[in-house]
Amino acid sequence: MTKAINAVRDSFSRRFAYRRTRQALMSLPMRTRIDCDLIGREDETARLAVYGR
């Protein structure tokens, strides 16, 4: 039971971190996103940062 609760908690935590990271990337100025080659890759970058896949 505890493992299942911890798994759910970890899942919610990672999802929250993904959404927060994605929002942070989307809120960067356009010029910064262009310089960092993030335009159109914000979702992928946030996913890699949080889930490592």
Side-chain angles (χ1 to χ4, degrees):
M1 180 79 166
T2 302
K3 286 183 182 181
I5 291 171
N6 287 339
V8 170
R9 186 180 301 146
D10 184 53
S11 177
F12 278 113
S13 177
R14 285 181 186 249
R15 180 66 180 165
F16 181 75
Y18 165 78
R19 292 179 66 183
R20 186 177 56 225
T21 303
R22 183 181 177 280
Q23 184 58 40
L25 292 173
M26 295 297 288
S27 69
L28 290 171
M30 181 66 73
R31 187 68 203 163
T32 302
R33 291 179 14 211
I34 291 170
D35 288 344
C36 294
D37 194 28
L38 291 174
I39 295 295
R41 297 179 53 206
E42 295 86 353
D43 293 338
E44 176 187 359
T45 304
R47 183 177 45 79
L48 286 171
V50 173
Y51 296 105
R53 299 181 205 154

